[in-house]
C-alpha cells in the first residue's frame, strides 16, 4: 500500500505542474489586471505602470512563465518551491495561506462532522422506516435544506438568531477583546461564533448525505447475507449497524474522499457572509484583485488536496472492503 | 421667574460644557475588507488608508472650512514652513519632541529616507507621483543630493524643478513617512515584503496592538504621543466584516460602533434604531455617465483621434443629458442623501463653482430636436434613430455589485429609449470593468470618483490622452487645455477661480460626460461614540477627539 501511495504521489507531480501551468495562462487571459484599481484621478496616472513594472507584468508572457517556473533568471520559481509574493498583501503567498488554513479547518471539519453525523444517522433511520411518515419527514426536511441557497440561509439565520433573538453572534470567529478571556471562556466564545456558519455549511451537504446513505442502505438491506443474518436470529440492531451499515458506507467513502478538497476551499460564501477569516475569503479576494501568485498558490493547495482525497478514498476502500487490492499480488 | 429659568439654563449649559471629556474605553469600526499592509509607502486601498491614518501622521494636518470652501493646514510634526524667494524650495521646521512608537526620536532624516525609498523602482508604490516635480540632474534622474535635504534633525528642505502651485507643493511633501532606523539597514528589494508591513513602528495617537489577519486590527493609545492632544480612547478596533447585512446587524446589536458606505434605504432603517445616528460625508463622491467622445477603436489601433460615430458631436451629448431626468434619478436613487451634479467641481468649493451657469434641465422633446439638428432621424421607421445607415444603439457598461449604478443604468436606458435610442446595459465584474475603462474599451459607461481636493481637472479633461489617462471619455478641447494650463501657473489655488469657472462653462456646453449627482457617504454611528467630525476630508477626521459616552 505504501508503494502504491508513493507511485500515485510521484505520478501526480506532472499533473500538478500541468494544472499550475494552465492556471498561469488562464488567469492572464481573463479580463482584468492586478493594477486595475488604480484608475482614479487622485492617484498618479503612472502608478499602474510603475506597479506593473515592479510585478514583472510588462515582460513578454513566455518570459514571465519561465521566471515563474524558475528556469530563467533569477532562477527562483515554482520548481525551486518559491511561489512568490502576493501582489495585494506583499507577503509570501504561503504565509497568507497558512494564516487562513487553520481557521478554515476549524469550520469545515466541524461542518464535515455535522454533515456525516447527521447524514448517516438520519439516512439509516429513513432507510429503516422506508415509506413511513418518519421517512417522509426526513425526506422533506432534507429537500428543504438541500434546495436552500447558502447565502440566503445564512442571512436568515443572522437576522433571526443574532438581530431578533440576540442569542448568537452575527460574524467573525471571536468577540472583540476575546484574547483577554480565560481559555474556557475563549473556547465558549469560539463555539458560539461557530454555530451558525457550521450549521449553514454542514446542513446542505448533510441533506445530500441522508439521501445517499438511505439509498445505499436500502440496496444492502435487500442482500442475501442480511436475510441470512436475520434468519440466524441476530438482533435487528446488530443486523443494521454491524452487517448492513458497514457495507452501505462503502460508497460514502468516495463521498468523503471528494469532500477533502472542500475542507480548504468549500466555504467561500459562508466565510464571506459570516466574516470568517479563512481560505474561502483568501481565494475570493485574490481573484477579485487578480493577485496572480496567490491564485496559483491556492490552486496548488486545492490540486494537492484533490489528489490526496482521491488517494485517501482508494486506501479507505481497500481497508473497508477486503475484496479490493490496490496492487495485484505477483504470481505465487 | 423667566430670568431665573434662563439663568439656571445657562448654568446647566456651562456646567455641561465644562464637563471633561470621558477618557478610556474602546470603539469598534467595521471594515469591508482587511488592510493590505500597514506600511504607508506601499499601502493601497481605502480600508488600508483608514487604518493608516490612525497610525501615521503627516507634517501638517488638513482642515476644511465649509464656510469658505477652502482647505487650511495646521502644524503637526512640522512647526512651520516657508518657501525660498524663487518658490522652488520648501523648508519645514520640525518639532524635536516627537518619538516613534519604539521610542526613537523622529527626525528630518526619517522623512528624507522615506522619499528616497519611494524613488527606488523596487518599491511598488502608488505615491511615486509625489516625486514628479523634484529637482533632477542633467540625466533626468531625481538628484537626491539636492531634492530632499535633511539639513539637521529638525529641518527638511524640498527642492523642485519649477515654482509650481503652492497647494501641490504642500501636497507632494505630505506623506506618512516611515522610520529610517528600521529601513536604512534593509535591502531595498526586501522592503515591500518586510516584517514592518504587519508590525509597524508608528507615529500617531495610536499604535498597533494586534492584527489578526482578516479578523481585526486592534490599536492602542500611544501614551507618548500628545499631538495635538492625547487620544481620549484607549483602543480603536477595526473588525473585518465583508457582508453589509452582517455589518449592520453587528451595529444594531452593539458589536461595532461605526459602519460607513450605507445605502439610503439602510440609512433610513438604521436611523429608526434609537441607539444609532447617521452622519454624512457630503460633496466628495461624484457619479457620471461617460460618453466616448472619440472613436476608441481607432485610438487603440494607432492613436488616431477622430470623433466617435455616436457621441463625437457635442450636440448629441448635450441632447443625451437633456433626455435624462437627473433630478428624478437623484430622488429615486439617493432620496435626501445626494444632489444633482452639473460639473466636476464639488459644491463644497463655493469659490470655484460657477453659479452663473444655467444647468441643463430635463426636456425630452428638446433632446429630440437637438438630435434632429445633429442629423439623427428615424429614417427606416423602426423606432430607432439613425444617420448615414448607422442606428443609434450602444452598450452602457457599469460594474456589477453596485445596486445604485445598476438602477441608474436601467433608468437611463428607459429614458433614452423614449427618444429613440436603444441602450444595452452590461454589468462587468469590477476588475474587468476597471481594466476596460483604462483600455478605453467602452462606448458609454457609468463611473464615479472620489474627487481630489486640489481641484485637479487636467487628468480628467486634458486633451493629451497619453498624459491624462483618466480622460477615459477622450474629451478634446484646446480652450480647456489652455485654461487649465493657465490655472496651473497661479501660485495659489483660489487665484485660479476664474479659469476653473470658464472650464465649467465649456464643459456644460460640451458635455463630455453627463454629470449625474454628488452622493453622500453615509456613516452609521452608535450613540455611545461621540466627538466625531465627519467632514469632506474623511469620516475619521480628528479621530483623536472621539470618546465613549456610556
Amino acid at each position: 500500500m505504501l508503494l502504491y501511495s508513493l507511485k500515485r504521489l510521484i505520478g501526480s507531480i506532472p499533473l500538478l505542474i500541468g494544472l499550475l501551468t494552465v492556471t498561469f495562462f488562464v488567469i492572464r487571459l481573463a479580463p482584468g489586471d492586478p493594477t486595475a484599481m488604480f484608475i482614479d484621478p487622485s492617484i498618479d496616472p503612472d502608478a499602474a505602470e510603475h506597479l506593473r513594472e515592479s510585478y514583472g507584468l510588462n515582460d513578454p508572457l513566455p518570459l514571465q512563465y519561465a521566471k515563474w517556473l524558475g528556469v530563467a533568471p533569477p532562477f527562483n520559481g515554482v520548481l525551486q518551491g518559491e511561489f512568490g509574493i502576493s501582489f495585494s498583501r506583499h507577503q509570501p503567498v504561503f504565509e497568507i495561506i497558512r494564516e487562513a488554513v487553520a481557521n478554515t479547518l476549524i469550520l469545515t471539519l466541524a461542518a464535515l462532522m455535522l454533515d456525516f453525523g447527521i447524514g448517516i444517522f438520519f439516512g439509516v433511520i429513513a432507510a429503516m422506516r422506508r415509506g413511513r411518515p418518519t421517512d417522509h419527514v426526513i425526506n422533506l426536511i432534507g429537500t428543504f435544506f438541500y434546495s436552500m441557497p447558502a447565502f440566503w440561509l445564512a442571512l436568515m439565520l443572522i437576522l433571526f438568531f443574532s438581530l431578533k433573538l440576540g442569542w448568537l453572534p452575527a460574524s467573525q470567529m471571536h468577540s472583540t477583546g476575546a484574547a483577554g478571556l480565560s481559555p474556557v471562556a475563549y473556547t465558549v466564545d469560539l463555539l458560539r461564533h461557530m454555530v451558525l456558519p457550521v450549521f449553514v455549511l454542514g446542513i446542505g451537504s448533510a441533506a445530500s448525505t441522508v439521501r445517499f446513505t438511505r439509498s445505499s442502505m436500502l440496496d444492502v438491506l435487500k442482500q442475501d447475507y442480511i436475510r441470512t443474518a436475520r434468519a440466524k436470529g441476530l438482533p435487528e440492531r446488530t443486523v443494521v449497524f454491524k452487517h448492513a451499515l458497514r457495507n452501505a458506507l462503502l460508497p460514502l467513502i468516495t463521498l468523503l474522499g471528494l469532500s477533502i478538497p472542500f475542507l480548504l476551499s468549500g466555504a467561500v460564501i459562508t466565510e464571506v457572509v459570516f466574516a470568517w477569516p479563512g481560505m474561502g475569503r483568501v481565494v475570493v479576494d485574490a481573484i477579485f484583485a487578480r493577485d496572480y501568485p496567490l491564485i496559483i498558490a491556492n490552486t496548488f493547495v486545492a490540486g494537492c488536496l484533490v489528489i490526496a482525497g482521491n488517494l485517501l478514498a482508494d486506501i479507505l476502500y481497500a481497508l473497508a472492503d477486503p475484496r479490493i487490492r490496490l496492487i495485484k499480488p505477483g504470481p505465487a | 421667574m423667566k430670568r431665573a429659568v434662563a439663568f439656571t439654563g445657562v448654568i446647566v449649559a456651562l456646567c455641561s460644557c465644562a464637563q471633561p471629556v470621558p477618557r478610556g474605553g474602546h470603539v469598534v469600526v467595521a471594515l469591508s475588507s482587511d488592510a493590505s499592509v500597514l506600511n504607508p509607502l506601499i499601502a493601497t486601498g481605502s480600508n488600508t488608508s483608514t487604518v493608516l491614518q490612525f497610525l501615521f501622521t503627516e507634517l501638517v494636518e488638513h482642515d476644511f472650512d465649509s464656510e469658505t470652501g477652502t482647505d487650511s493646514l495646521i502644524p503637526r510634526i512640522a512647526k512651520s514652513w516657508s518657501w525660498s524667494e524663487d518658490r522652488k524650495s520648501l523648508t519645514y521646521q520640525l518639532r524635536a519632541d516627537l518619538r516613534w512608537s519604539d521610542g526613537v526620536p523622529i527626525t528630518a532624516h526619517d522623512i528624507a529616507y522615506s522619499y528616497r525609498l519611494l524613488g527606488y523602482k523596487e518599491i511598488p508604490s502608488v505615491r511615486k507621483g509625489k516625486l514628479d516635480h523634484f529637482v533632477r540632474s542633467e540625466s533626468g534622474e531625481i538628484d537626491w543630493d539636492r531634492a530632499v535635504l535633511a539639513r539637521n534633525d529638525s529641518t527638511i528642505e524640498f527642492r523642485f524643478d519649477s515654482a509650481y502651485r503652492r497647494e501641490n507643493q504642500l501636497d507632494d511633501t505630505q506623506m506618512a513617512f516611515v522610520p529610517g532606523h528600521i529601513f536604512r539597514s534593509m535591502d531595498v528589494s526586501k522592503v515591500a515584503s518586510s516584517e514592518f508591513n504587519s508590525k509597524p513602528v508608528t507615529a500617531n495617537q495610536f499604535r498597533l496592538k494586534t492584527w489578526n489577519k482578516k479578523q481585526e486590527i486592534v490599536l492602542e493609545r500611544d501614551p507618548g504621543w500628545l499631538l495635538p492632544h492625547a487620544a481620549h480612547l484607549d483602543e480603536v478596533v477595526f473588525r473585518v466584516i465583508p457582508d453589509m447585512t452582517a455589518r449592520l446587524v453587528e451595529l444594531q446589536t452593539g458589536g461595532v460602533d461605526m459602519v460607513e458606505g450605507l445605502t439610503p434605504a439602510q440609512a433610513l432603517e438604521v436611523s429608526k434604531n434609537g441607539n444609532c445616528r447617521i452622519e454624512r460625508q457630503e460633496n466628495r463622491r461624484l457619479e457620471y455617465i461617460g460618453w466616448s467622445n472619440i472613436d476608441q477603436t481607432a485610438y487603440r489601433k494607432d492613436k488616431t483621434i477622430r470623433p466617435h460615430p455616436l457621441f463625437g458631436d457635442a450636440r448629441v451629448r448635450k441632447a443625451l443629458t437633456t433626455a435624462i431626468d437627473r433630478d428624478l434619478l437623484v430622488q429615486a436613487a439617493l432620496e435626501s442623501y445626494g444632489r444633482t451634479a452639473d460639473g466636476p467641481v464639488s459644491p463644497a468649493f463655493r469659490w470655484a463653482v460657477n453659479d452663473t451657469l444655467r444647468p441643463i434641465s430635463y426636456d425630452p422633446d428638446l433632446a429630440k430636436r437637438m438630435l434632429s439638428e445633429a442629423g439623427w432621424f428615424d429614417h427606416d421607421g423602426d423606432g430607432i434613430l439613425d444617420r448615414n445607415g448607422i442606428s443609434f444603439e450602444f452598450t452602457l457598461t457599469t460594474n456589477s455589485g453596485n445596486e445604485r449604478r445598476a438602477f441608474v443604468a436601467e433608468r437611463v436606458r428607459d429614458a433614452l429609449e423614449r427618444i429613440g435610442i436603444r441602450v444595452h446595459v452590461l454589468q462587468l465584474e469590477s476588475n474587468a470593468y476597471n481594466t476596460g475603462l483604462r483600455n478605453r474599451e467602452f462606448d458609454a459607461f457609468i463611473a464615479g470618483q472620489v474627487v481630489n481636493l486640489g481641484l485637479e481637472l487636467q487628468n480628467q479633461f486634458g486633451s493629451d490622452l497619453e498624459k491624462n489617462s483618466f480622460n477615459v471619455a477622450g474629451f478634446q478641447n484646446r480652450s480647456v487645455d489652455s485654461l487649465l494650463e493657465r490655472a496651473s501657473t497661479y501660485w495659489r489655488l483660489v487665484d485660479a477661480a476664474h479659469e476653473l469657472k470658464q472650464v465649467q462653462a465649456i464643459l456644460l456646453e460640451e458635455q463630455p460626460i453627463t454629470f449625474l449627482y454628488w452622493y453622500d457617504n453615509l456613516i452609521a454611528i452608535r450613540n455611545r461614540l461621540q466627538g466625531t467630525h465627519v467632514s469632506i476630508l474623511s469620516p475619521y477626521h480628528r479621530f483623536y477627539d472621539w470618546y465613549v459616552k456610556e
Side-chain angles (χ1 to χ4, degrees):
Chain A
M1 191 176 291
L2 187 65
L3 189 64
Y4 171 81
S5 305
L6 271 175
K7 275 188 176 175
R8 283 278 299 268
L9 287 175
I10 291 167
S12 59
I13 291 173
L15 182 71
L16 271 176
I17 291 176
L19 172 73
L20 296 183
T21 299
V22 170
T23 309
F24 178 91
F25 288 105
V26 165
I27 55 174
R28 279 165 174 78
L29 288 174
D33 184 290
T35 61
M37 70 179 94
F38 304 118
I39 180 155
D40 185 321
S42 61
I43 292 179
D44 168 28
D46 297 330
E49 203 45 41
H50 287 308
L51 289 183
R52 289 184 64 82
E53 190 63 39
S54 307
Y55 297 153
L57 296 171
N58 287 338
D59 292 337
L61 200 54
L63 181 59
Q64 284 186 46
Y65 178 67
K67 281 183 174 175
W68 168 80
L69 207 56
V71 296
F75 302 107
N76 193 20
V78 169
L79 293 179
Q80 288 83 20
E82 180 54 65
F83 278 70
I85 305 283
S86 156
F87 291 164
S88 57
R89 302 187 65 93
H90 304 286
Q91 266 180 290
V93 287
F94 282 115
E95 210 174 278
I96 297 171
I97 289 175
R98 195 181 60 228
E99 285 165 359
V101 158
N103 298 335
T104 290
L105 280 178
I106 290 172
L107 192 64
T108 49
L109 280 174
L112 207 61
M113 283 162 64
L114 182 80
D115 170 4
F116 280 88
I118 289 184
I120 292 171
F121 180 72
F122 285 102
V124 170
I125 290 178
M128 298 305 300
R129 302 276 189 274
R130 184 188 180 189
R132 293 187 207 168
T134 316
D135 182 24
H136 293 314
V137 169
I138 291 172
N139 189 22
L140 188 74
I141 295 174
T143 309
F144 176 75
F145 282 116
Y146 188 69
S147 54
M148 193 173 287
F151 76 92
W152 189 84
L153 177 63
L155 290 178
M156 290 305 109
L157 291 175
I158 287 174
L159 292 178
F160 189 69
F161 286 101
S162 304
L163 186 61
K164 194 90 179 159
L165 300 176
W167 290 354
L168 293 166
S171 63
Q172 291 217 325
M173 275 182 81
H174 295 288
S175 308
T176 306
L181 297 173
S182 68
V184 175
Y186 185 84
T187 310
V188 170
D189 184 63
L190 172 65
L191 290 174
R192 289 187 70 240
H193 282 80
M194 282 175 67
V195 173
L196 294 182
V198 166
F199 183 79
V200 169
L201 208 53
I203 200 69
S205 320
S208 119
T209 308
V210 166
R211 302 289 299 166
F212 223 91
T213 309
R214 178 182 178 277
S215 153
S216 183
M217 276 294 284
L218 288 175
D219 283 346
V220 172
L221 288 171
K222 286 180 205 158
Q223 300 294 318
D224 290 343
Y225 61 87
I226 297 294
R227 198 178 306 123
T228 307
R230 282 186 174 133
K232 278 164 63 181
L234 289 175
E236 187 62 13
R237 184 183 293 257
T238 312
V239 172
V240 170
F241 289 103
K242 192 171 175 190
H243 295 275
L245 185 58
R246 184 174 175 186
N247 288 293
L249 287 182
L250 279 176
L252 288 177
I253 290 173
T254 310
L255 207 59
L256 182 67
L258 293 175
S259 300
I260 300 292
F262 151 87
L263 284 177
L264 290 186
S265 61
V268 177
I269 293 169
T270 311
E271 283 186 4
V272 169
V273 175
F274 288 102
W276 195 271
M279 283 292 292
R281 275 171 58 198
V282 169
V283 173
V284 169
D285 291 349
I287 291 171
F288 284 140
R290 303 295 191 274
D291 190 338
Y292 299 153
L294 194 50
I295 294 173
I296 289 183
N298 277 309
T299 310
F300 175 73
V301 171
C304 288
L305 285 170
V306 170
I307 290 164
N310 285 336
L311 183 61
L312 186 70
D314 287 349
I315 293 170
L316 287 177
Y317 247 104
L319 291 175
D321 188 346
R323 293 169 300 181
I324 296 170
R325 289 286 169 267
L326 294 177
I327 294 179
K328 267 188 180 176
Chain B
M1 182 62 186
K2 274 183 185 172
R3 276 187 187 175
V5 170
F7 180 73
T8 312
V10 169
I11 294 297
V12 167
L14 284 173
C15 288
S16 62
C17 288
Q19 275 178 358
V21 172
R23 289 191 62 130
H26 75 275
V27 299
V28 183
V29 178
L31 295 180
S32 58
S33 64
D34 201 1
S36 54
V37 287
L38 295 181
N39 178 341
L41 286 186
I42 58 172
T44 53
S46 59
N47 285 323
T48 308
S49 301
T50 296
V51 180
L52 284 174
Q53 62 184 285
F54 287 73
L55 295 173
F56 294 90
T57 193
E58 298 177 351
L59 293 172
V60 294
E61 185 179 308
H62 287 265
D63 204 2
F64 192 80
D65 184 340
S66 54
E67 290 300 314
T68 60
T70 53
D71 190 19
S72 55
L73 298 172
I74 301 167
R76 284 291 175 258
I77 291 178
K79 289 188 294 188
S80 61
W81 52 94
S82 58
W83 277 270
S84 60
E85 268 187 32
D86 64 358
R87 291 172 173 171
K88 287 182 169 180
S89 163
L90 170 57
T91 303
Y92 291 92
Q93 291 297 328
L94 312 185
R95 294 174 64 114
D97 56 347
L98 297 173
R99 289 173 185 275
W100 292 99
S101 57
D102 62 359
V104 175
I106 294 173
T107 69
H109 300 284
D110 293 316
I111 300 165
Y113 195 69
S114 298
Y115 275 92
R116 182 69 194 90
L117 278 176
L118 196 63
Y120 287 109
K121 72 174 176 52
E122 291 87 348
I123 305 295
S125 177
V126 296
R127 291 163 187 79
K128 288 181 190 279
K130 287 185 178 291
L131 309 176
D132 285 351
H133 289 281
F134 282 22
V135 72
R136 288 166 190 270
S137 61
E138 283 177 6
S139 66
E141 296 294 309
I142 293 172
D143 183 350
W144 288 106
D145 291 333
R146 293 194 297 139
V148 189
L149 210 59
R151 295 203 167 279
N152 52 48
D153 282 355
S154 57
T155 310
I156 184 143
E157 181 182 354
F158 295 89
R159 289 179 183 166
F160 312 109
D161 55 7
S162 63
Y164 65 112
R165 185 183 290 159
R166 173 185 179 276
E167 284 81 1
N168 292 355
Q169 290 196 14
L170 286 165
D171 192 49
D172 286 345
T173 51
Q174 297 307 306
M175 181 177 76
F177 50 91
V178 293
H181 63 278
I182 303 281
F183 287 102
R184 257 182 222 107
S185 55
M186 195 182 289
D187 182 348
V188 174
S189 64
K190 305 284 179 206
V191 169
S193 55
S194 73
E195 199 186 27
F196 179 90
N197 299 343
S198 51
K199 291 177 184 164
V201 172
T202 57
N204 211 342
Q205 273 90 351
F206 290 92
R207 61 189 180 193
L208 182 68
K209 185 179 178 188
T210 55
W211 183 6
N212 291 324
K213 297 284 169 68
K214 295 202 178 282
Q215 292 183 70
E216 64 179 18
I217 302 170
V218 182
L219 311 184
E220 63 182 358
R221 184 156 46 84
D222 184 341
W225 196 279
L226 306 170
L227 197 64
H229 60 75
H232 301 311
L233 296 169
D234 285 338
E235 285 186 352
V236 175
V237 180
F238 293 94
R239 297 192 80 191
V240 184
I241 308 174
D243 184 75
M244 182 49 112
T245 306
R247 287 204 289 279
L248 292 178
V249 169
E250 289 284 7
L251 178 85
Q252 298 192 63
T253 53
V256 302
D257 297 299
M258 191 170 184
V259 177
E260 70 166 310
L262 277 69
T263 64
Q266 288 163 340
L268 289 174
E269 187 62 35
V270 168
S271 58
K272 289 178 195 161
N273 183 322
N275 294 320
C276 302
R277 66 183 186 276
I278 298 293
E279 295 196 13
R280 312 165 176 209
Q281 186 189 22
E282 295 176 327
N283 298 326
R284 188 78 196 268
R285 295 166 185 232
L286 172 68
E287 223 145 54
Y288 61 88
I289 304 173
W291 314 108
S292 189
N293 291 211
I294 59 166
D295 182 342
Q296 70 273 44
T297 314
Y299 182 76
R300 282 204 309 273
K301 194 176 162 196
D302 53 13
K303 308 288 180 203
T304 304
I305 291 184
R306 60 171 182 241
H308 189 276
L310 301 181
F311 309 118
D313 185 338
R315 289 173 298 177
V316 171
R317 299 193 296 267
K318 200 168 178 183
L320 295 174
T321 304
T322 309
I324 299 167
D325 190 344
R326 293 174 299 144
D327 293 335
L328 188 66
L329 211 55
V330 169
Q331 216 177 343
L334 303 174
E335 299 185 29
S336 58
Y337 298 117
R339 52 219 59 86
T340 310
D342 295 302
V345 176
S346 163
F349 294 91
R350 292 176 185 183
W351 57 270
V353 174
N354 190 341
D355 47 17
T356 62
L357 301 175
R358 217 174 107 204
I360 296 174
S361 306
Y362 171 60
D363 188 340
D365 294 330
L366 176 62
K368 274 186 196 170
R369 286 200 299 278
M370 291 162 88
L371 286 168
S372 306
E373 284 166 19
W376 290 96
F377 296 97
D378 183 9
H379 293 95
D380 52 9
D382 65 351
I384 307 296
L385 301 177
D386 56 272
R387 189 180 68 178
N388 302 333
I390 301 173
S391 287
F392 207 135
E393 182 173 358
F394 66 91
T395 299
L396 177 62
T397 308
T398 186
N399 57 318
S400 58
N402 186 323
E403 285 176 30
R404 183 181 57 250
R405 288 188 189 175
F407 174 81
V408 168
E410 296 299 326
R411 289 295 181 100
V412 168
R413 183 184 63 187
D414 295 346
L416 296 185
E417 280 191 350
R418 279 196 286 275
I419 61 164
I421 295 173
R422 182 170 290 158
V423 181
H424 307 278
V425 173
L426 173 67
Q427 292 187 49
L428 282 180
E429 182 266 330
S430 288
N431 195 302
Y433 167 78
N434 283 336
T435 306
L437 265 188
R438 195 173 60 198
N439 296 339
R440 304 179 193 281
E441 290 170 3
F442 308 139
D443 287 321
F445 50 90
I446 300 179
Q449 66 194 56
V450 178
V451 293
N452 69 66
L453 300 177
L455 296 182
E456 174 57 60
L457 302 179
Q458 182 79 36
N459 194 15
Q460 194 172 8
F461 298 107
S463 301
D464 183 344
L465 301 184
E466 291 302 296
K467 205 170 122 196
N468 303 305
S469 54
F470 198 67
N471 184 359
V472 185
F475 178 55
Q476 302 290 303
N477 189 295
R478 298 300 158 209
S479 303
V480 167
D481 291 342
S482 25
L483 283 165
L484 292 176
E485 182 59 38
R486 202 189 318 154
S488 72
T489 61
Y490 293 112
W491 175 238
R492 295 183 317 154
L493 178 60
V494 288
D495 295 334
H498 178 67
E499 282 74 12
L500 291 172
K501 287 180 181 180
Q502 280 187 294
V503 167
Q504 289 165 66
I506 295 173
L507 293 179
L508 186 74
E509 284 306 309
E510 290 282 318
Q511 290 292 299
I513 58 182
T514 293
F515 299 97
L516 292 174
Y517 44 74
W518 297 96
Y519 66 99
D520 299 343
N521 177 22
L522 300 176
I523 301 123
I525 304 174
R526 283 187 73 78
N527 290 334
R528 69 184 283 274
L529 170 56
Q530 295 289 319
T532 51
H533 304 279
V534 173
S535 85
I536 190 170
L537 296 171
S538 164
Y540 310 96
H541 187 49
R542 286 162 55 187
F543 57 83
Y544 43 79
D545 286 342
W546 289 4
Y547 64 93
V548 170
K549 190 179 100 182
E550 293 297 355

